[in-house]
């Protein structure tokens, strides 16, 4: 069977496409290899077939055979390559093939442990396990923060074979002696690079110290630089090294656009894109406050939007992700950390509302679209003073953006007004504080007086108040007691065009 036929068959297995995302860098299929070819039980083969899994992805084809032989695995593979099955299949086969009797009337010990950086990823792995081991309600337990601690402890008391956990909560349970992992036979560290980025190394070291040294270990990381190699070499023994594609640049199936746009016109540009283009949108904000603001203002503009970030409760994050997955919300606004748990099919557009802090974050964001062989669009909003940073991304990632100019007539966002403002005054429309990076010089207000003329603005809706009849101030910084605002003079306490980056960034 040729590769074209295999690809056609792979695309026709809808459950598989919906369950395991293809690599965003468009990896080929594992030609002439099928799950039925692996040295696994007929029962597991049947369950894989029932779940719609026919042809393995490259990381599955390369990792499963040596893992079934008990060898350690060190793999470079990003989210979306199908790596979940690459460690679940050997894990299930081993636990099914060798039973461990309970002792002294107690239930069996925890035999397998999977460690992941976020609750969302842990929940997805647990869901995948449930599809391959149906009717195993007490067989696998989720241990993570943000969910009921009591319920997790009760589930652990039932004697699960598998624990899927995030480092923080698991370390806490270990410290309090609420969990015993000294009988673990298989240990998986998934998304190692992300866990290190999130500061979990001390917790990981404590967890590894509590499991047997004779275990089998499988490590997965999107990148494997010298620092990560130095750390994971203490956890694996003579590992089989697997490298799947390159994760250092975005997929060539993703169209990379850049719009140069002023800060106060970003919302108008996003609104325009949502009205002119089809499909779902994942929008990245640099800050949690910014994500909230963008989501609420998009709703005011008539778009179905929700938000996910670290300050939201687990139930809120789960509901937002589920609403985005099932089409209830067309737009999901997220921060980088929260978005690490997002693995949603068919995202048409990724929008970098704010530039990411590093090229790795850019690649991670863009990797949310252009999956499963589909094409995607990634648009980055760049302010004039950020052009150097965007050009630097092009050089570092060896990519080429399609540069565009935003429409200068886009409506300007009133950044300092509350979300429920109803003012339509044109003078108020101009009282927008732009975000400037660092201490870039800004021309004095007198050089362009007309957009900031203070004559008839009511001043309502801002943090301060003008008590005079013609006061146009009203920005934070004190009250104006006279009939005229001094907001137009450089050096005033209420400067609409202030170049200070602090307050403007808080608006993000």
């Amino acid at each position: 069977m040729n590769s074209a036929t295999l690809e056609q068959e792979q695309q026709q297995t809808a459950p598989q496409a919906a369950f395991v995302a293809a690599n965003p860098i468009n990896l080929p299929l594992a030609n002439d290899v099928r799950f039925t070819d692996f040295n696994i039980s007929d029962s597991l083969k049947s369950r894989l077939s029932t779940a719609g899994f026919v042809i393995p992805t490259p990381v599955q084809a390369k990792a499963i055979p040596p893992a079934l032989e008990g060898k350690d695995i060190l793999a470079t593979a990003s989210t979306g390559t199908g790596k979940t099955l690459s460690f679940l299949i050997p894990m299930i086969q081993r636990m099914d093939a060798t039973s461990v009797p309970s002792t002294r009337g107690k239930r069996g010990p925890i035999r397998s442990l999977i460690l992941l950086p976020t609750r969302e990823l842990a929940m997805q792995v647990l869901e995948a396990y449930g599809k391959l081991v149906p009717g195993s309600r007490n067989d696998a337990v989720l241990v993570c923060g943000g969910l009921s601690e009591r319920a997790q402890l009760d589930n652990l008391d039932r004697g699960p074979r598998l624990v899927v956990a995030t480092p923080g909560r698991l370390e806490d349970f270990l410290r309090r002696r609420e969990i015993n992992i000294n009988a673990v036979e298989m240990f998986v560290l998934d998304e190692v690079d992300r866990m290190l980025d999130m500061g979990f190394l001390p917790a990981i070291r404590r967890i590894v110290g509590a499991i047997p040294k004779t275990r089998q270990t499988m490590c997965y990381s999107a990148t494997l630089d010298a620092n990560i190699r130095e750390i994971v070499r203490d956890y694996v023994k003579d590992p089989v090294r697997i490298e799947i594609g390159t994760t250092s640049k975005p997929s060539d199936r993703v169209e990379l656009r850049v719009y140069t746009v002023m800060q106060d016109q970003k919302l108008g540009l996003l609104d325009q894109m949502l009205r002119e283009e089809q499909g779902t949108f994942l929008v990245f904000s640099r800050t949690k406050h910014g994500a909230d603001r963008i989501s609420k203002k998009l709703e005011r503009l008539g778009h179905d939007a929700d938000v996910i970030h670290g300050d939201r409760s687990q139930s809120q994050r789960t509901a937002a992700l589920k609403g985005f997955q099932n089409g209830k919300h067309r737009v999901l606004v997220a921060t980088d950390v929260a978005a690490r748990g997002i693995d949603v099919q068919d995202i048409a557009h990724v929008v970098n509302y704010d530039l990411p802090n590093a090229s790795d974050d850019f690649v991670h964001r863009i990797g949310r679209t252009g999956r499963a062989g589909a094409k995607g669009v990634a648009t980055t909003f760049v302010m004039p003073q950020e052009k150097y940073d965007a050009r630097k991304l092009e050089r570092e990632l060896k990519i080429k953006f399609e540069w565009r100019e935003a429409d200068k007539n886009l409506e300007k966002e009133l950044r300092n007004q509350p979300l429920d403002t109803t003012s339509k005054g044109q003078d108020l429309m101009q009282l927008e504080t732009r975000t400037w990076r660092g201490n870039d010089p800004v021309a004095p207000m007198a050089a362009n007086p007309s957009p900031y003329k203070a004559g008839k603005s009511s001043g309502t809706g801002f943090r301060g108040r003008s008590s005079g009849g013609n006061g146009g101030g009203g920005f934070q910084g004190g009250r104006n007691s006279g009939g005229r605002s001094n907001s137009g003079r450089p050096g005033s306490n209420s400067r609409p065009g202030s170049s200070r980056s602090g307050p403007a960034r808080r608006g993000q």
Side-chain angles (χ1 to χ4, degrees):
M1 184 179 294
N2 59 37
S3 60
T5 305
L6 285 171
E7 182 168 5
Q8 183 179 17
E9 183 173 347
Q10 174 92 344
Q11 291 172 348
Q12 290 173 347
T13 56
Q16 182 169 5
F19 186 43
V20 178
N23 190 349
I25 53 176
N26 190 29
L27 290 169
L29 300 172
N31 292 347
D32 299 325
V33 177
R34 297 179 176 247
F35 285 107
T36 52
D37 297 330
F38 295 138
N39 186 24
I40 56 179
S41 68
D42 291 339
S43 173
L44 184 51
K45 289 178 182 179
S46 176
R47 281 177 274 164
L48 284 164
S49 178
T50 300
F53 299 109
V54 178
I55 306 165
T57 64
V59 69
Q60 294 163 1
K62 291 183 178 181
I64 291 174
L68 288 170
E69 296 174 3
K71 296 179 180 178
D72 285 4
I73 303 294
L74 180 57
T76 305
S78 62
T79 300
T81 56
K83 57 188 169 135
T84 300
L85 280 188
S86 74
F87 56 75
L88 281 183
I89 289 175
M91 189 174 284
I92 294 169
Q93 172 64 22
R94 179 167 179 165
M95 291 191 297
D96 286 349
T98 57
S99 61
V100 176
S102 59
T103 58
R104 296 182 183 178
K106 294 184 178 180
R107 297 181 183 272
I110 296 169
R111 302 182 58 193
S112 297
L113 174 63
I114 302 172
L115 212 57
L116 302 110
T118 68
R119 290 172 292 228
E120 288 78 13
L121 284 174
M123 292 166 72
Q124 288 170 10
V125 168
L126 198 64
E127 180 183 357
Y129 181 82
K131 288 183 179 293
L132 295 182
V133 188
S136 57
R137 186 174 172 218
N138 299 327
D139 194 42
V141 169
L142 180 68
V143 172
C144 66
L147 298 176
S148 169
E149 178 181 301
R150 186 71 261 161
Q152 293 177 46
L153 292 174
D154 288 344
N155 289 334
L156 287 171
D157 287 341
R158 296 188 177 99
R161 297 190 302 176
L162 168 65
V163 168
V164 183
T166 54
R169 175 59 63 86
L170 181 58
E171 182 194 29
D172 179 51
F173 281 2
L174 281 173
R175 180 179 53 81
R176 292 157 47 192
R177 301 181 185 273
E178 299 282 6
I179 189 172
N180 186 346
I181 54 175
N182 63 8
V184 166
E185 302 167 14
M186 290 191 72
F187 177 51
V188 174
L189 277 169
D190 195 10
E191 307 230 0
V192 176
D193 52 339
R194 291 298 174 189
M195 287 197 281
L196 298 184
D197 287 344
M198 297 167 74
F200 285 135
L201 181 57
I204 293 172
R205 290 196 189 281
R206 174 171 169 77
I207 291 165
V208 172
I211 59 179
K213 293 183 179 180
T214 56
R215 70 188 180 266
Q216 179 183 3
T217 303
M218 303 176 73
C219 289
Y220 295 81
S221 181
T223 59
L224 203 63
D225 58 27
N227 183 46
I228 297 174
R229 283 197 300 269
E230 182 73 17
I231 293 168
V232 299
R233 75 176 184 178
D234 295 333
Y235 306 148
V236 293
K237 181 179 180 181
D238 299 324
V240 174
R241 182 74 176 92
I242 297 170
E243 296 184 72
I244 301 299
T246 174
T247 57
S248 62
K249 62 185 298 184
S251 165
D252 56 9
R253 284 186 172 270
V254 179
E255 180 183 347
L256 302 175
R257 302 174 183 170
V258 161
Y259 276 99
T260 54
V261 59
M262 299 305 294
Q263 179 69 39
D264 59 349
Q265 291 183 308
K266 286 183 178 181
L267 187 67
L269 178 57
L270 180 56
D271 177 51
Q272 182 184 70
M273 291 172 60
L274 286 165
R275 297 186 188 282
E276 292 180 354
E277 302 183 35
Q278 303 295 316
T280 54
F281 279 68
L282 177 58
V283 180
F284 284 97
S285 168
R286 184 182 294 116
T287 67
K288 293 174 281 192
H289 176 70
D292 282 331
R293 180 180 60 79
I294 295 165
S295 175
K296 290 176 182 177
K297 290 205 170 187
L298 286 175
E299 288 180 337
R300 284 181 50 78
L301 291 170
H303 303 291
D304 293 322
D306 209 337
V307 63
I308 181 170
H309 57 64
D311 280 352
R312 304 206 85 195
S313 68
Q314 182 59 40
S315 60
Q316 289 174 321
R317 293 166 68 171
T318 301
L321 190 57
K322 184 176 180 180
F324 188 56
Q325 287 173 321
N326 63 26
K328 179 181 178 182
H329 305 299
R330 184 188 177 200
V331 185
L332 184 64
V333 187
T335 55
D336 283 303
V337 172
R340 288 172 185 155
I342 297 175
D343 190 9
V344 179
Q345 299 294 313
D346 303 323
I347 298 177
H349 301 260
V350 167
V351 176
N352 294 313
Y353 198 91
D354 301 312
L355 266 180
N357 293 320
S359 57
D360 286 348
D361 290 327
F362 181 84
V363 174
H364 167 71
R365 292 178 177 187
I366 302 310
R368 307 299 97 185
T369 187
R371 294 183 167 215
K375 291 186 177 295
V377 178
T379 301
T380 303
F381 294 171
V382 174
M383 293 186 291
Q385 65 271 24
E386 295 175 323
K387 282 187 176 180
Y388 173 82
D389 296 318
R391 295 293 188 190
K392 184 180 179 182
L393 275 178
E394 286 185 302
R395 294 193 301 271
E396 288 181 353
L397 299 175
K398 295 179 174 59
I399 56 176
K400 186 67 177 176
F401 290 132
E402 177 189 336
W403 287 81
R404 302 181 178 185
E405 291 282 341
D407 184 354
K408 297 296 190 295
N409 296 319
L410 286 169
E411 185 174 354
K412 294 185 178 181
E413 178 189 1
L414 297 177
R415 296 292 303 282
N416 287 348
Q417 279 198 326
L419 295 176
D420 59 349
T421 181
T422 57
S423 173
K424 303 292 184 181
Q426 290 302 309
D427 289 331
L428 268 178
M429 292 287 289
Q430 304 300 334
L431 293 176
E432 183 271 344
T433 303
R434 303 181 190 277
T435 299
W436 300 100
R437 175 169 291 187
N439 295 315
D440 291 349
V442 179
M445 296 301 299
N448 188 17
S450 57
Y452 299 95
K453 188 176 290 184
K456 296 184 179 180
S457 174
S458 66
T460 59
F462 296 89
R463 294 192 180 180
R465 287 186 183 175
S466 172
S467 58
N470 295 325
F475 282 78
Q476 185 178 12
R479 300 175 181 235
N480 294 324
S481 58
R484 295 175 53 185
S485 168
N486 63 355
S487 63
R489 295 199 304 267
S492 165
N493 283 336
S494 53
R495 293 181 294 174
S498 173
S499 63
R500 295 177 184 238
S501 59
R505 286 188 182 275
R506 284 198 297 273
Q508 287 295 304

